[in-house]
Amino acid sequence: MSGMLSVTEAQTRIQSAFSRVSTENVTLPEALRRVLSSAITSPLDLPPFTNSSMDGYAVLAEDVRHTPVSLNLVDDIPAGVAPERAIGSGEAARIMTGAVLPPGADAVVPVEDTQTEPGRTQRITILKTVKPGDYVRPQGSDLRAGTTVLPAGHQLTAQDLGLLAALGMPHVPVFRRPRVALLSSGDELAAPGEPLTPGKIYDSNSFTLAALIKQSGAQLIALGVARDDQRQMEQLLQSAVEQHADLILTSAGVSVGAFDYIRAVLEQSGSLTFWRVNVRPGKPLAFGSYDGVPLIGLPGNPVSAFVGFMLFVAPAIRKLAGLPEHSLQQRSAVLDEPLESDGRESYLRGSVRLEEGIYHAKQAKNQSSANIFALVHANALLIVPSGV
């Protein structure tokens, strides 16, 4: 473990330690952004019956080849009601949008293309011709029963839930949400709202990482802040195990300082697979397990923690959740100014803009891994390969 792993090697080793979580059935209101554990096949045709796409009059197209023409009004068909009778030659039925097309009719004339005959409520004048099939939605025209409509591994959107409801499915099979236990560490950390006494800083990583965990679709187990005490660290890690965490995520405490206890705890009470990666920012990245639960230890500097999450934690959560592998969106860009690297694979905060079809990139002036302000104003990470 004396050498440093490349980013790709570290990602591969971390990914190999994870497998998909178990599955469950949830109701549609609970299913937004959940991941399907099996494909969904349509149990019925959509639409389930041939219906009108307009408010108007159901007719035989042959009767209205020449207009204007007067037809007998023989029925009213609201949505949700089956037609009472078939439509014959010379007849029409008033019909609402979505209502079942009556037998015999093969087209609908929109209401704006008709005229009611004064004093003759049982007659309607058709002003414009229609062809067979006009303003009609045939049964199964959207999809047929037996069609696979959503694949396994798909993350459900609002429109997906609408489709599942239209198919009459009250429950869907999904992977349960991965449970990620989060703790920050360090005697120097104060909670926002507390007085900031000398030597203290406010804990920002707990809030950034908690939001990233939730944004990734996982369930957060908030363990709080561990002081620089090895016994308390072990107690919090044991709490994560008892709460059935699928992943333990820590920030700080993974370097070589006298009070960095995460690494020490893993070496004594768990297992440490590696703890250094050839990346900037974020070289001290620990990966191992505690009591059989995988653990990723991120550095304490806010930017390092953010970059480490994006590179190593987010892909692990995706695998736990049953989502397909996903790479960060990448674009090639022209640098507006020179930049320097220390030889590690670097993820520098920067801004990218599009000018005349070409992306231009400029790095933030302050690349300190503690400067979260520069991260807020960046819209991209500029990737410099190792060895450059």
Side-chain angles (χ1 to χ4, degrees):
M1 293 193 300
S2 58
M4 288 190 292
L5 295 178
S6 70
V7 170
T8 300
E9 289 172 326
Q11 288 172 326
T12 300
R13 290 200 191 185
I14 291 173
Q15 286 289 84
S16 67
F18 292 91
S19 56
R20 291 173 176 173
V21 296
S22 57
T23 63
E24 61 184 359
N25 285 328
V26 298
T27 64
L28 289 187
E30 300 173 299
L32 183 64
R33 296 192 60 78
R34 301 297 294 273
V35 180
L36 287 174
S37 58
S38 58
I40 300 296
T41 301
S42 176
L44 47 80
D45 291 339
L46 280 184
F49 49 81
T50 300
N51 66 88
S52 174
S53 67
M54 299 285 286
D55 289 344
Y57 294 87
V59 300
L60 281 71
E62 179 66 22
D63 285 346
V64 297
R65 283 196 306 162
H66 305 290
T67 55
V69 61
S70 181
L71 301 175
N72 288 324
L73 191 57
V74 297
D75 202 0
D76 275 303
I77 310 173
V81 176
E84 295 181 0
R85 54 163 291 178
I87 301 301
S89 180
E91 297 178 335
R94 186 182 291 111
I95 191 168
M96 300 296 106
T97 302
V100 180
L101 194 72
D106 59 5
V108 172
V109 179
V111 67
E112 56 266 29
D113 295 334
T114 66
Q115 181 178 304
T116 303
E117 298 183 17
R120 303 182 70 184
T121 59
Q122 300 305 311
R123 301 282 292 178
I124 188 73
T125 298
I126 307 298
L127 303 177
K128 288 187 179 180
T129 186
V130 291
K131 303 184 299 298
D134 282 356
Y135 305 105
V136 170
R137 294 185 289 218
Q139 178 176 340
S141 56
D142 289 348
L143 64 90
R144 289 290 186 182
T147 302
T148 298
V149 294
L150 295 170
H154 177 74
Q155 192 168 31
L156 292 166
T157 65
Q159 55 268 39
D160 295 331
L161 301 188
L163 172 61
L164 294 172
L167 296 176
M169 303 184 68
H171 300 87
V172 286
V174 297
F175 293 102
R176 66 169 175 79
R177 293 186 190 275
R179 292 184 285 265
V180 180
L182 173 66
L183 70 86
S184 294
S185 65
D187 284 345
E188 74 278 13
L189 299 179
E194 292 181 354
L196 201 60
T197 56
K200 298 285 188 179
I201 60 172
Y202 286 124
D203 172 25
S204 64
N205 282 352
S206 291
F207 296 89
T208 302
L209 296 174
L212 288 170
I213 288 168
K214 294 176 182 178
Q215 191 173 290
S216 299
Q219 177 184 341
L220 173 67
I221 302 173
L223 300 177
V225 176
R227 299 304 167 193
D228 289 328
D229 177 273
Q230 186 165 336
R231 182 167 182 176
Q232 186 192 21
M233 188 78 68
E234 290 178 341
Q235 289 173 342
L236 289 175
L237 293 179
Q238 190 59 43
S239 173
V241 174
E242 292 169 357
Q243 294 182 69
H244 306 291
D246 300 297
L247 166 65
I248 300 172
L249 180 63
T250 70
S251 70
V254 297
S255 189
V256 293
F259 298 100
D260 290 335
Y261 289 115
I262 294 290
R263 183 184 169 202
V265 168
L266 290 185
E267 289 179 327
Q268 293 179 22
S269 304
S271 64
L272 181 63
T273 304
F274 63 81
W275 69 280
R276 292 196 300 176
V277 178
N278 189 31
V279 64
R280 175 191 176 205
K283 178 174 69 173
L285 179 113
F287 176 62
S289 66
Y290 182 85
D291 201 6
V293 180
L295 182 148
I296 299 176
L298 298 175
N301 280 324
V303 178
S304 300
F306 177 87
V307 172
F309 187 98
M310 302 301 290
L311 292 178
F312 306 108
V313 182
I317 294 177
R318 287 185 68 86
K319 187 170 182 180
L320 283 168
L323 286 164
E325 289 187 22
H326 173 72
S327 299
L328 294 174
Q329 188 180 37
Q330 296 189 15
R331 295 285 186 271
S332 294
V334 176
L335 285 170
D336 286 345
E337 58 189 8
L339 60 78
E340 293 182 358
S341 171
D342 62 1
R344 288 179 287 170
E345 185 169 321
S346 300
Y347 291 78
L348 309 177
R349 282 148 292 164
S351 58
V352 174
R353 68 189 187 283
L354 186 63
E355 289 184 3
E356 298 180 353
I358 297 175
Y359 287 99
H360 290 260
K362 186 176 183 178
Q363 67 174 327
K365 287 183 169 54
N366 190 329
Q367 290 294 330
S368 166
S369 57
N371 190 338
I372 195 170
F373 181 69
L375 180 62
V376 168
H377 287 273
N379 68 357
L381 294 172
L382 311 183
I383 305 172
V384 182
S386 62
V388 175

